[in-house]
Amino acid sequence: MLGLLALRFRPPPFHFLRGSVGWRVSRPFGAIAKTINAGTVVALIALSILASNRVGAQVPGSFDGSFALGNGKAFISFGTNTGETASAVVVQPDGKILLAGICAPTSSHSYNGNFCLARLLSNGQLDPDFDGPSGNGDGKFTLSMGGTDNMATAVLVQPDGKIVVAGSCNFGSPGGFDFCIARLLPNGDYDPSFTGPASGTSMSGPGRFAFPVGSANDFVSEIVRQPDNKILLVGTCSQAGSADFCLARINPDGTFDTSFNGPSSSGGGRFLLQMTTAWDSANAVAIQPDGKILVAGTCGGSTDDFCIARLLANGTFDSSFGSSGKTIFPVGTSGDNVNAIAVQPDGRIVLAGHCYIGSSFKFCLARLNTDGTLDDTFDGPSGTGNGKFDFPIGQNDYATALALAPDGKIIVAGYCDVVISADFCLARLNPDGSLDTTFDGPNPVPGNGKFPLPIGSTTDIATSMALQPDGKIVVAGFCSNGSNYDFCVARLNGGPFGYQQCSMDIDGDGQHLATRDGLIMTRVMLGLTGSAVTQGITFAPHATRTSWSAIRNFLVTQCGMSLPQ
């Protein structure tokens, strides 16, 4: 039932194209009667004490007591709007938390929505210095982008503190929705130096503009800043009864980057990227250290599958990746959708989303080698995944966000159908994909790596996540307050990163020996890989890392090194 909630925020925009212009939350609530006897009361008190002790000990996944008046969760209402959905979250270098999304007068979000932003101090209170173009926002405000319906779906903060927020704006027929973007000064006012292209736009003005990419509806899913400060937008564009990945890259002043030409070599800064001849939707993007671009989402056909493309810096397909630059594969039986992507320090690519398995949706993940093939060491909770797997948390589970910790652990967030409502839900995996059993959550019963996280009164939808440098986890989305929806954000304790356990005991035998540990590190620093690293070394019988694969994994996940496979 809650699968319809994915219609108006990342992911996936292809739902719009298939005939829906809005979403509604509708769930029958029946009276629930429970008989509580004295024994039940005693048991509940005991569980409450246990929960309190666990939170006090900062159990990984528990609410952060230093956030939002000790609650660990904050709610932001923009006033007269009844449909307020946070689509993206960023933690600034100063610890402030920036949220962007959609504010509309009705919870259906059918029309008259605007971009809206809020910024919290590190303690979870609204930042009074974030005033917006009006100068009196006091931590939260809306932006009118000029369309009849404006939806912010992505946000980033530049090194200079300026804020870039992007989404989709409806300027009516024949174009419908176009890509639209704004850049703000740190106080939230429009940046007058961001003027946009001189032509080919639906709307332009100081600090904001919109432009089409395809011939019909164009929806932005995500944005990313390149090291050269160019801004890349990815999304989904519909035309002639189908939909394709689509991309645009703009220079720091807002003009199109005309060197970004795409496979046709004639894009001029914006183009469509056809993955299949069916309905394809791009929901996630990442930039590799070498400048290559990864774009992932879902690709249609007889069933929807995970799909990813790798592009060279000019937008053409990278022929060294997958099949002519793209990889398409199933994870579930149908309904596979990539919603988030991350690149590990070793270059391997992690994809997260949801898949239909049997009779319900589940979290599903995949990890690819640098050439686009499945990484068969990524086995998941069952130990038999061979590069891709699924696992349940509630009754229907939708993974919307992904983060990589410095110790190689993988954090996945989303929302899960739980009994008669939806809750935030999270999981943390070890580098091999097995569940991290120390990640227990705030509930009295240990989560053992995965758990639902109730935030509001009924329906809670997590759309985005950010990882703080201290390991705390910020999860944002929108939550029901009983009558409508507000922005909501929670901060959880993460526990210490495993990289703090890095040592010079490279082979894991409890000793630090020049003839083994020192020799291994010397060979690694000389650039050797594979069996050349371990050749001629006699390992102790109790050593835990005796192969290049095990040694490399330790150095990458525990010591923060970036090493080839």
Side-chain angles (χ1 to χ4, degrees):
M1 182 180 296
L2 288 175
L4 295 176
L5 290 169
L7 304 188
R8 290 303 295 236
F9 58 85
R10 186 186 80 250
F14 75 89
H15 287 290
F16 287 110
L17 309 177
R18 288 176 171 168
S20 178
V21 294
W23 56 260
R24 286 177 173 84
V25 178
S26 176
R27 181 183 296 276
F29 289 88
I32 300 174
K34 294 185 178 179
T35 301
I36 302 179
N37 55 32
T40 303
V41 173
V42 172
L44 290 173
I45 293 172
L47 289 176
S48 298
I49 294 172
L50 177 58
S52 175
N53 289 338
R54 284 162 48 76
V55 172
Q58 294 193 353
V59 172
S62 61
F63 286 114
D64 174 17
S66 67
F67 185 73
L69 301 177
N71 223 351
K73 48 191 176 182
F75 302 85
I76 304 104
S77 173
F78 288 78
T80 59
N81 298 285
T82 61
E84 301 166 356
T85 63
S87 305
V89 64
V90 172
V91 177
Q92 298 185 170
D94 60 3
K96 294 180 180 180
I97 298 169
L98 179 67
L99 303 131
I102 310 161
C103 289
T106 64
S107 60
S108 68
H109 283 109
S110 295
Y111 299 102
N112 301 319
N114 282 314
F115 283 21
C116 49
L117 294 94
R119 191 167 69 195
L120 307 180
L121 303 172
S122 60
N123 64 4
Q125 303 301 304
L126 284 168
D127 177 9
D129 295 330
F130 193 55
D131 281 328
S134 68
N136 60 359
D138 289 328
K140 58 182 180 179
F141 53 84
T142 60
L143 295 176
S144 177
M145 295 294 289
T148 58
D149 198 12
N150 310 291
M151 307 177 300
T153 49
V155 68
L156 61 81
V157 178
Q158 297 182 170
D160 60 3
K162 292 180 179 179
I163 298 161
V164 180
V165 57
S168 310
C169 299
N170 190 347
F171 292 91
S173 60
F177 281 94
D178 291 335
F179 279 20
C180 53
I181 186 170
R183 191 166 70 195
L184 310 177
L185 301 174
N187 67 356
D189 197 1
Y190 288 116
D191 175 13
S193 69
F194 194 60
T195 55
S199 62
T201 64
S202 303
M203 172 275 291
S204 62
R208 56 179 179 159
F209 55 89
F211 57 89
V213 180
S215 60
N217 288 306
D218 306 332
F219 296 100
V220 171
S221 298
E222 185 60 279
I223 57 173
V224 66
R225 185 189 66 85
Q226 297 187 169
D228 59 3
N229 288 321
K230 293 178 181 179
I231 300 166
L232 180 65
L233 301 91
V234 304
T236 304
C237 297
S238 68
Q239 58 183 8
S242 66
D244 292 317
F245 286 18
C246 51
L247 300 91
R249 192 165 68 195
I250 55 179
N251 295 310
D253 63 355
T255 58
F256 288 123
D257 174 14
T258 55
S259 70
F260 192 57
N261 283 317
S264 69
S265 299
S266 60
R270 49 182 169 165
F271 54 84
L272 304 182
L273 190 74
Q274 188 177 64
M275 297 291 287
T276 73
T277 58
W279 290 77
D280 306 325
S281 173
N283 302 323
V285 62
I287 306 294
Q288 295 186 171
D290 61 3
K292 293 180 179 179
I293 300 163
L294 296 165
V295 187
T298 187
C299 289
S302 58
T303 62
D304 290 337
D305 295 326
F306 271 28
C307 58
I308 180 172
R310 189 165 71 192
L311 310 179
L312 302 177
N314 63 3
T316 57
F317 283 111
D318 176 11
S319 60
S320 68
F321 183 80
S323 175
S324 301
K326 45 190 173 182
T327 296
I328 303 172
F329 59 94
V331 180
T333 54
S334 63
D336 299 347
N337 201 95
V338 175
N339 299 326
I341 185 173
V343 180
Q344 295 185 170
D346 60 6
R348 287 184 288 183
I349 302 156
V350 182
L351 306 172
H354 57 262
C355 303
Y356 194 72
I357 312 289
S359 60
S360 64
F361 283 96
K362 298 179 182 179
F363 275 24
C364 52
L365 288 90
R367 190 165 67 196
L368 306 180
N369 296 310
T370 55
D371 62 358
T373 58
L374 285 167
D375 173 14
D376 60 11
T377 69
F378 194 55
D379 282 330
S382 68
T384 59
N386 292 320
K388 57 181 182 176
F389 54 85
D390 64 87
F391 60 91
I393 298 179
Q395 297 171 347
N396 278 289
D397 312 317
Y398 306 87
T400 58
L402 171 69
L404 298 180
D407 59 1
K409 290 182 179 178
I410 300 165
I411 307 163
V412 189
Y415 61 98
C416 298
D417 242 337
V418 182
V419 190
I420 60 172
S421 65
D423 291 331
F424 284 18
C425 52
L426 292 94
R428 191 164 71 185
L429 309 176
N430 295 311
D432 63 358
S434 61
L435 288 167
D436 172 14
T437 57
T438 69
F439 192 61
D440 283 335
N443 299 307
V445 179
N448 291 322
K450 58 178 184 177
F451 51 85
L453 189 74
I455 304 293
S457 59
T458 53
T459 299
D460 309 323
I461 307 296
T463 61
S464 53
M465 175 173 55
L467 188 64
Q468 295 189 171
D470 61 1
K472 291 179 179 178
I473 303 162
V474 177
V475 189
F478 57 99
C479 299
S480 170
N481 59 24
S483 59
N484 50 55
Y485 293 91
D486 296 326
F487 278 25
C488 54
V489 58
R491 191 164 69 194
L492 309 178
N493 294 305
F497 287 140
Y499 69 79
Q500 296 172 335
Q501 302 167 16
C502 178
S503 78
M504 289 305 296
D505 178 17
I506 309 301
D507 61 358
D509 66 354
Q511 302 180 80
H512 303 83
L513 300 177
T515 54
R516 290 201 288 263
D517 305 302
L519 181 56
I520 290 170
M521 278 307 301
T522 299
R523 290 174 173 176
V524 169
M525 289 186 287
L526 289 173
L528 299 181
T529 61
S531 60
V533 173
T534 58
Q535 185 176 7
I537 296 177
T538 301
F539 292 96
H542 59 281
T544 59
R545 295 181 285 271
T546 60
S547 66
W548 165 242
S549 176
I551 291 169
R552 176 184 170 282
N553 186 64
F554 171 75
L555 294 175
V556 167
T557 64
Q558 302 298 309
C559 301
M561 296 184 69
S562 179
L563 299 171
Q565 289 181 303

